[in-house]
Amino acid sequence: MTTLTIPKWFDAHTHVRQGGLIEPIVKSQIDMGCYAILAMPNTKPPVGKVRDADDGDMWSIEHYRDLIMNAGGDQLSHLVTPLYLTKDTSAKMIVDGAKSGLLTNIKYYPPHGTTNADFGIPMEEFLKSDLPKAMSDNGVILNIHGEEHGLKATSYFDRETNAEEIFYTERMPKLVEAFPDLKIVCEHITTKVATDFVLNTNDNVSATITPQHLLYTVGDLILGLKYHLFCLPVVKFDADRQALRNAVTTPSQTKFFAGTDSAAHTEKCTPCGCAAGCFTGGIAPQLYAQAFEEAGLDLSRVDHELMFKNFLCHNAPDFYGIERSSETFTLSKTPQTISKIPTAEGEITPLPLGMGMDTIPWSIAE
Ligand code: NCD
Ligand code: ZN
């Protein structure tokens, strides 16, 4: 039986939500070996200001950090809490926020692009504003949900094109060219086009990749309409998955790292559509290990284990300038049964269960 004792890891993209969800979700992050998390700001209301005392009705970074800390987040060594980029974000907020130490990251959401993304601004507006320069000058990292917004269905997702490819072809080159010193994380990339963009651009640009995008393709979503696999950006084609797998299994690669985008929904399927987001809390390292094996790696080999550790444990803290963890946890190739997670706000269904599987090949040793 293969066992991997590896450093605790930084989930560089997750959603810990709010209310009765926050405590079980934070626990699921800690249970799966996280010593650090980046908690996305698409709460209701969004985390759109820095301090509580600042103007406006949105939540502050200060407030959201308190909520997470009080829900068990105080057991983490690092908590990264980006500001939601809205029409109210100003260069002064960025300069002051960075000075105070509270503002380290800003999240770009395409307007109306995904769950609670109704506050995002168009990328061309951001590019023309004084915000990217303020971020670049003050060392604030930009986390990007890279999908073009407002597209008609045939450009949004079709054989030769989709919203992510358009974004990485038309928007990102301009941003990186204009602000080469700006540190950017391309979140949850799903296509070969985005992967190639990250590979071929400067070292201030990196990317997170989710378990679902390494494991599945759009065929898995459509076969039986497995709506628990519906997340944004949507899973793509085999060639795209292969590009992601090649990227993460390249020896010594430093640009690609784990960010689960675990995003719980207690009501996934509604009468008028399906909420976007896959929940992988508690099981993401197990799913990543499964994906690395499906990509052809033998995790009992030292060189292959190192590729896995680079992706899961090393690259994200290195890019963020956070110390790697000196603590470890152990993954073992022993099947694990999974079940729904009860919360005060209803049950959450982990992704494999939603795919019709109540067992996964890897588990975390006690
Ligand atoms: C996320 C969510 O539910 O908050 N959903 C998703 O499909 N990834 C939002 C997001 O990260 O886009
Ligand atoms: Zn997300």
Side-chain angles (χ1 to χ4, degrees), residues 102-145:
L102 273 168
L103 181 69
T104 56
N105 288 61
I106 293 184
K107 174 70 187 274
Y108 169 83
Y109 282 107
H112 314 292
T114 180
T115 307
N116 297 351
D118 303 343
F119 299 86
I121 64 168
M123 183 46 77
E124 59 270 32
E125 250 173 60
F126 175 70
L127 249 178
K128 276 188 275 173
S129 73
D130 53 3
L131 304 178
K133 181 172 186 314
M135 292 179 67
S136 182
D137 290 351
N138 290 279
V140 175
I141 298 173
L142 178 62
N143 303 92
I144 292 200
H145 181 125

Side-chain angles (χ1 to χ4, degrees), residues 13-15 40 42 107 109 114 145 187-188 232 260-263:
H13 182 142
T14 188
H15 298 263
M40 283 297 175
N42 62 333
K107 174 70 187 274
Y109 282 107
T114 180
H145 181 125
E187 300 294 340
H188 44 51
L232 293 175
T260 60
D261 197 15
S262 181

Side-chain angles (χ1 to χ4, degrees), residues 124-315:
E124 59 270 32
E125 250 173 60
F126 175 70
L127 249 178
K128 276 188 275 173
S129 73
D130 53 3
L131 304 178
K133 181 172 186 314
M135 292 179 67
S136 182
D137 290 351
N138 290 279
V140 175
I141 298 173
L142 178 62
N143 303 92
I144 292 200
H145 181 125
E147 287 190 289
E148 185 67 11
H149 68 279
L151 296 171
K152 292 209 168 76
T154 46
S155 318
Y156 179 71
F157 190 86
D158 208 358
R159 196 190 314 216
E160 303 300 336
T161 188
N162 60 59
E164 180 175 293
E165 294 187 352
I166 294 173
F167 192 89
Y168 281 94
T169 310
E170 291 179 13
R171 306 285 172 205
M172 285 304 288
K174 289 182 192 147
L175 176 65
V176 173
E177 197 188 325
F179 301 98
D181 297 327
L182 179 61
K183 284 190 101 168
I184 299 174
V185 186
C186 303
E187 300 294 340
H188 44 51
I189 58 168
T190 67
T191 57
K192 181 172 189 314
V193 168
T195 309
D196 288 343
F197 172 79
V198 173
L199 278 171
N200 296 325
T201 191
N202 75 55
D203 283 344
N204 287 322
V205 180
S206 62
T208 56
I209 303 182
T210 75
Q212 62 268 24
H213 292 109
L214 288 172
L215 283 169
Y216 300 113
T217 66
V218 64
D220 293 294
L221 175 70
I222 292 172
L223 255 178
L225 201 53
K226 299 286 193 308
Y227 61 83
H228 284 281
L229 181 58
F230 179 63
C231 68
L232 293 175
V234 77
V235 281
K236 301 293 190 313
F237 300 96
D238 193 33
D240 297 302
R241 178 176 62 178
Q242 197 53 50
L244 299 175
R245 288 179 171 182
N246 290 346
V248 301
T249 60
T250 302
S252 309
Q253 67 84 11
T254 57
K255 282 185 163 234
F256 301 93
F257 43 83
T260 60
D261 197 15
S262 181
H265 290 274
T266 49
E267 214 187 338
K268 196 52 190 141
C269 203
T270 74
C272 52
C274 181
C278 302
F279 182 70
T280 51
I283 53 169
Q286 298 91 310
L287 297 179
Y288 280 129
Q290 183 185 339
F292 271 63
E293 285 191 324
E294 288 182 20
L297 263 61
D298 172 358
L299 291 173
S300 66
R301 273 177 54 171
V302 175
D303 54 337
H304 289 186
E305 180 185 338
L306 181 59
M307 292 175 203
F308 184 66
K309 281 199 291 191
N310 286 338
F311 173 74
L312 189 75
C313 316
H314 298 159
N315 292 351

